Amino acid sequence: VLSWGRRPGTTRVHHPGRNRTYDLLDLAGSCTIARDVAVSHLLDIPVRSSAWSEPPPPPLDEYPDEHPDDWMLQLGQPTVPMRAPRAMHDTLPPPDPFQQEVIAATERSLRVIAPAGAGKTQTLVRRVARRIEAGAAPRRILVLTFDRNAKASFERMVQRVGLSRPPDIRTLNAFGWDILKRNFPEERSEIVKPWLVLGSRGINPSGSKHQLIRALAEEGEPKDVLRIFDALKDHQFDPRDRAYKERNAWIARNYERLVPESFLARYPERHAGEFALAISDEFRAYEHFLEKHKVIDYQDQKLRTLKLLEANPDVLRRVQERYDEVIVDEVQDINPLDATLIKVIAERAALVLTG
């Protein structure tokens, strides 16, 4: 585990999934390449730091998107520099030997960990360019990002590297939405307008029949209820499922993390069970509202896609067979729903994670 700082071993992080604590090494400007790691480990819940060291130094002026050449530290194998072919109109800075190794790696699972500004995205773009120039079909390489800005950044770098045929670049939400529309036309696919959810015709947490929900809307804002709904879907709880006990138990366990501090001060942890029943009831009412208007929300673009792919193995196989490599940028933003969907999509492909 690497961290920016000046005193090795003074910063620690706790991994909640394995109940272990790790020392952070002081390796400023470094990056780890993890080769052929099991997918279940690649998609672990990210560690949460209890104390971070000071921020990284600014990048070099002549390479605004990079840190110095020693920005990456490979663990486990000696470095074997390989020169990546450059496109005719390539305007990106030349890759250093460590970036070249990521570009040329042939393992079926690869995770690249590096700090912000280390040139991760341009390295991924060069990797894509190398594969396409070696004969790979561009549309058989899937690049997934977590927002439109990251997608636009990747597309701009693809243009700078001079590729005439780009890979398939999507946000994970857009990818899920496309699967819904193409393969499950009977499913709702129109995205709900934000103003409709909390508008005069939408849900009204302030007027809920549950006193705790009304108090939550008063202590914070009505959007706090929607954020809890998002968190439930992020953890793969579908409001249409009848697994009430499991869902309610999860809400009660995470009560302190789900509600604002001001609400928690008035309604401490002894109210967790009552709150779980109330928010679960509102969760189902929210789904009835979406169904009435024949719409889905943004999390449903991924959640419904995952549930339908798992229930339809023929469609899942066709989706998996479309790609030889799946690249996921900025994977530090991942949540359990994202992780499971990516794992399902990339089951038959090489998987590259960076973040």
Side-chain angles (χ1 to χ4, degrees):
V1 182
L2 309 179
S3 170
W4 289 103
R6 308 206 182 279
R7 293 172 294 175
T10 59
T11 304
R12 300 174 72 81
V13 294
H14 178 67
H15 191 303
R18 298 182 182 174
N19 196 25
R20 294 180 182 175
T21 301
Y22 302 96
D23 287 327
L24 292 178
L25 303 179
D26 176 20
L27 295 168
S30 296
C31 174
T32 303
I33 305 177
R35 297 175 176 274
D36 275 342
V37 184
V39 172
S40 60
H41 291 168
L42 285 174
L43 298 178
D44 253 342
I45 297 174
V47 297
R48 181 174 54 190
S49 173
S50 57
W52 290 108
S53 304
E54 59 195 76
L60 296 180
D61 292 337
E62 60 268 32
Y63 294 103
D65 296 326
E66 298 183 14
H67 285 286
D69 284 349
D70 63 344
W71 66 273
M72 187 182 289
L73 172 71
Q74 181 194 348
L75 302 180
Q77 296 184 12
T79 299
V80 183
M82 299 182 68
R83 182 175 181 82
R86 302 192 68 187
M88 182 178 298
H89 303 294
D90 189 343
T91 63
L92 293 177
D96 62 35
F98 303 103
Q99 291 171 322
Q100 288 171 357
E101 189 168 6
V102 176
I103 293 166
T106 59
E107 287 79 5
R108 283 188 59 80
S109 62
L110 186 72
R111 182 168 183 180
V112 181
I113 306 172
K120 297 186 295 294
T121 300
Q122 70 184 42
T123 301
L124 292 180
V125 170
R126 288 193 181 284
R127 177 182 173 85
V128 170
R130 181 188 179 94
R131 294 211 58 187
I132 293 174
E133 290 168 1
R139 304 307 286 181
R140 293 192 62 82
I141 300 175
L142 174 64
V143 179
L144 294 173
T145 68
F146 290 96
D147 60 53
R148 293 176 182 175
N149 289 335
K151 176 179 179 288
S153 175
F154 203 99
E155 289 171 335
R156 286 194 298 270
M157 286 201 180
V158 165
Q159 293 175 351
R160 289 182 62 187
V161 86
L163 281 177
S164 58
R165 295 182 298 159
D168 190 0
I169 308 171
R170 316 274 195 96
T171 65
L172 189 56
N173 280 70
F175 184 79
W177 185 71
D178 184 66
I179 291 177
L180 283 179
K181 295 200 68 169
R182 286 175 179 267
N183 300 282
F184 305 101
E186 71 282 1
E187 282 285 318
R188 290 175 270 144
S189 59
E190 184 179 348
I191 308 301
V192 66
K193 303 295 188 294
W195 54 264
L196 179 62
V197 178
L198 294 173
S200 58
R201 294 184 296 159
I203 64 173
N204 181 20
S206 300
S208 171
K209 65 181 180 181
H210 300 285
Q211 190 269 334
L212 286 179
I213 303 301
R214 296 196 303 271
L216 177 62
E218 293 169 3
E219 286 292 335
E221 53 182 327
K223 288 182 180 179
D224 288 334
V225 177
L226 297 181
R227 294 189 186 103
I228 295 175
F229 295 164
D230 285 346
L232 286 168
K233 292 183 179 183
D234 284 345
H235 287 79
Q236 301 177 52
F237 291 110
D238 191 329
R240 300 171 298 176
D241 291 345
R242 296 189 175 275
Y244 302 143
K245 291 184 178 179
E246 182 182 355
R247 183 170 65 215
N248 292 348
W250 185 89
I251 295 170
R253 285 196 309 270
N254 292 277
Y255 177 63
E256 294 184 358
R257 294 167 49 195
L258 291 172
V259 300
E261 291 185 6
S262 58
F263 179 86
L264 190 61
R266 285 183 58 189
Y267 301 95
E269 194 172 359
R270 67 175 180 271
H271 294 274
E274 179 187 359
F275 181 82
L277 293 173
I279 203 69
S280 188
D281 188 43
E282 293 290 336
F283 192 40
R284 293 193 299 273
Y286 173 61
E287 171 58 24
H288 293 154
F289 164 79
L290 295 177
E291 186 176 12
K292 175 184 175 181
H293 292 276
K294 297 181 172 54
V295 293
I296 59 175
D297 63 18
Y298 289 104
Q299 298 306 95
D300 284 333
Q301 291 178 307
K302 298 176 291 186
L303 181 60
R304 296 211 170 196
T305 297
L306 175 62
K307 297 291 186 181
L308 288 166
L309 288 177
E310 290 176 337
N312 294 270
D314 290 341
V315 177
L316 174 59
R317 178 180 50 79
R318 290 200 302 270
V319 172
Q320 290 172 339
E321 290 177 348
R322 280 162 55 183
Y323 302 105
D324 297 321
E325 180 162 307
V326 177
I327 297 174
V328 186
D329 199 11
E330 303 295 347
V331 77
Q332 73 274 6
D333 298 328
I334 208 167
N335 61 50
L337 171 59
D338 298 335
T340 306
L341 181 56
I342 291 168
K343 182 178 178 180
V344 165
I345 294 168
E347 188 72 30
R348 299 169 183 260
L351 177 61
V352 180
L353 305 176
T354 181

